[in-house]
Amino acid sequence: MTETVGRETFESAYAEGTAGWVIGEPQPAIPTLERTGRITGRVFGAGCGAGEHTIHLAARGYDVLGIDFSNAAVELARRTAAERGVRAAFDVADAVTLGDGTRGGDLGAPFDTILDSALFHVFGAEGRRRYADALHRVTRPGSTVHVLALAETEEPGFGPRISDAAIREAFADGWTIEELESSRYRAVAHAQEHADALGVRPGAPVDLPAWLARIRRE
């Protein structure tokens, strides 16, 4: 990724029902983090999308807030939470401006755990640095950021994909990368070209190559 994906891309995907990241459940990696004690304290869902992770954690008693810069995403997340009878908190905010005086102070910062599922990889290089700085502003020393991002590999896939170096470079200052490993990201192959490349029918779920990083704020 060299340029940040524009807001209009996300709004149109929600409007047209083609958001490949909306799978109707949490990413498999996230409940695993919760079961293994990797999610603690006040939790922040950055780029929460349809809200599956925020709802999952709220239902388990976590103090969690999900934010997204897409109004359509937050509306969907709130609607889904209400339908499931879960009291989950969501807000519309831009993740790269958190804590800069325009947003952040009213979001309950500082946070102890940040969950990023498929947000980091939508940014270009400059956006990734700004995002890491924003997360630094709304966390405290010892806080943890979990990043699940689509990986740039030789496997077929779709969506914005990044190298592991992109994560290392963005979180070089003020952070310690404690773990960075290969993982999988579940998505829906809506487009015919994506389905053909992966050998599935359009609308089928697919598991794409991903990175899963655990990053500690210094």
Side-chain angles (χ1 to χ4, degrees):
M1 278 292 295
T2 57
E3 297 183 1
T4 297
V5 179
R7 188 189 305 257
E8 64 280 358
T9 297
F10 297 97
E11 297 291 0
S12 63
Y14 284 110
E16 297 167 9
T18 57
W21 56 91
V22 177
I23 61 172
E25 61 184 355
Q27 287 293 322
I30 305 306
T32 299
L33 290 175
E34 192 270 331
R35 287 195 301 270
T36 56
R38 302 295 182 90
I39 297 175
T40 60
R42 179 146 170 76
V43 185
F44 184 75
C48 66
E52 293 293 352
H53 306 119
T54 302
I55 295 168
H56 176 81
L57 294 173
R60 284 157 178 73
Y62 287 84
D63 181 6
V64 54
L65 170 68
I67 67 103
D68 203 288
F69 75 167
S70 165
N71 286 287
V74 171
E75 289 173 5
L76 174 59
R78 288 172 173 162
R79 187 165 62 248
T80 300
E83 290 170 353
R84 297 180 187 176
V86 177
R87 295 185 64 182
F90 298 97
D91 203 347
V92 177
D94 189 339
V96 300
T97 64
L98 295 169
D100 70 353
T102 59
R103 289 295 274 171
D106 60 339
L107 295 182
F111 296 92
D112 302 292
T113 302
I114 306 286
L115 283 181
D116 174 339
S117 174
L119 176 60
F120 181 85
H121 64 220
V122 310
F123 295 118
E126 177 59 28
R128 292 193 290 265
R129 287 189 289 270
R130 290 183 61 203
Y131 174 55
D133 289 344
L135 294 186
H136 200 275
R137 291 193 296 266
V138 297
T139 51
R140 61 180 120 227
S143 294
T144 299
V145 177
H146 297 288
V147 174
L148 180 65
L150 291 174
E152 187 177 53
T153 72
E154 295 182 356
E155 283 190 58
F158 57 87
R161 299 195 281 175
I162 59 166
S163 67
D164 60 340
I167 298 174
R168 298 183 190 281
E169 290 166 3
F171 290 96
D173 299 324
W175 303 92
T176 297
I177 297 178
E178 297 185 323
E179 193 171 278
L180 177 51
E181 62 184 13
S182 296
S183 185
R184 307 300 289 183
Y185 181 84
R186 188 157 296 165
V188 179
H190 287 291
Q192 185 70 57
E193 61 181 304
H194 297 155
D196 289 345
L198 293 162
V200 299
R201 58 177 175 77
V206 291
D207 285 342
L208 305 174
W211 304 115
L212 180 59
R214 185 177 78 247
I215 307 163
R216 177 174 52 82
R217 185 194 187 281
E218 295 176 354

